[in-house]
Amino acid sequence: MSRNLRIVLIHPPHESEERAHALHAGLAEAGYEVIASLPADIHLPEQIAQLQPDMIIVDAESDARDVLEHIVIATRDERRPIVMFTEDEDPSSMEAAMAAGVCSYVVAGLQPERIKPVLKVAMMRFQREQKLLHELEDTKHKLAERKVIDRAKGLLMTKHGMTEDQAYQKLRTMAMNKNLKLAEIAQRILDVEDLLG
């Protein structure tokens, strides 16, 4: 994982040189390549879009709310695993970081030997979260399709005096004849009903 992981390091504009160097050294020692080190400013979304990193690491010694705002905008359209190294133990800061999409919030964890396991766990957590989000979207989509089909069945039952099974069979036959999905034919029936009133 570490050899080909493309990392962008983000830091507040006024970060201490010593801290930045420690993180760079820890990443290099763990076998990671930092493709860019960027300040958290208004150009961040554009730069992230251009670089297409696999992971974002935020290095913020203290309050990182400004940094988080820029990251939320930068990763809004394309989510990425985000790891934050900080000295801020304030629970509200942790909550804000998690709400911004941070996978791993590490307080006082810049020791080189800790970096690799932290990044591995963050990547695994991110992948698991993405899988759950995809499953949730898929479930929502199927539920929406089910509602459309049920409405179309109800319409056929009311208008044509069909039983539920007959209405379903009618939808299936129409879908097969037109080479459409069941939900698509159901939506067409509802659209026609809306048009004709």
Side-chain angles (χ1 to χ4, degrees):
M1 172 184 122
S2 64
R3 292 286 165 220
N4 53 13
L5 198 62
R6 302 175 75 245
I7 295 174
V8 165
L9 187 57
I10 297 171
H11 54 83
H14 310 294
E15 181 191 51
S16 80
E17 283 293 315
E18 186 180 308
R19 186 177 169 83
H21 180 70
L23 184 52
H24 264 282
L27 288 165
E29 194 175 304
Y32 293 98
E33 178 194 0
V34 176
I35 57 169
S37 184
L38 308 170
D41 59 22
I42 58 167
H43 304 292
L44 191 61
E46 180 184 304
Q47 292 169 316
I48 295 283
Q50 226 171 27
L51 293 165
Q52 292 293 309
D54 299 312
M55 179 178 281
I56 295 171
I57 295 180
V58 180
D59 183 26
E61 213 161 346
S62 56
D63 186 23
R65 289 174 203 275
D66 292 343
V67 177
L68 289 173
E69 283 177 31
H70 291 295
I71 288 172
V72 166
I73 294 165
T75 59
R76 180 178 46 212
D77 298 330
E78 196 172 339
R79 303 228 334 114
R80 291 179 167 79
I82 302 167
V83 176
M84 177 175 270
F85 288 96
T86 184
E87 302 302 318
D88 187 356
E89 295 182 47
D90 179 19
S92 68
S93 298
M94 291 177 193
E95 204 171 302
M98 292 302 167
V102 171
C103 299
S104 195
Y105 188 95
V106 184
V107 178
L110 275 182
Q111 299 86 353
E113 66 278 2
R114 286 192 62 195
I115 291 174
K116 196 170 199 163
V118 164
L119 298 194
K120 280 186 175 182
V121 168
M123 184 61 90
M124 285 187 251
R125 183 178 289 158
F126 175 78
Q127 288 167 343
R128 185 163 188 267
E129 182 183 292
Q130 289 305 106
K131 184 176 180 251
L132 290 172
L133 287 172
H134 288 307
E135 287 171 4
L136 179 62
E137 279 306 308
D138 190 44
T139 302
K140 283 181 180 176
H141 180 70
K142 285 178 180 167
L143 184 61
E145 282 185 342
R146 184 82 250 148
K147 285 181 180 178
V148 168
I149 292 166
D150 286 345
R151 283 182 51 218
K153 279 193 313 190
L155 185 67
L156 290 174
M157 289 161 65
T158 305
K159 291 264 183 188
H160 302 288
M162 295 179 171
T163 65
E164 185 176 355
D165 192 48
Q166 288 171 327
Y168 181 75
Q169 290 307 322
K170 177 78 171 166
L171 284 174
R172 273 192 69 197
T173 303
M174 290 170 72
M176 283 193 288
N177 290 343
K178 300 226 180 265
N179 201 19
L180 293 170
K181 291 168 96 178
L182 201 58
E184 290 170 334
I185 202 74
Q187 186 60 58
R188 285 187 180 188
I189 288 170
L190 295 173
D191 291 345
V192 168
E193 176 63 19
D194 285 346
L195 275 173
L196 301 178

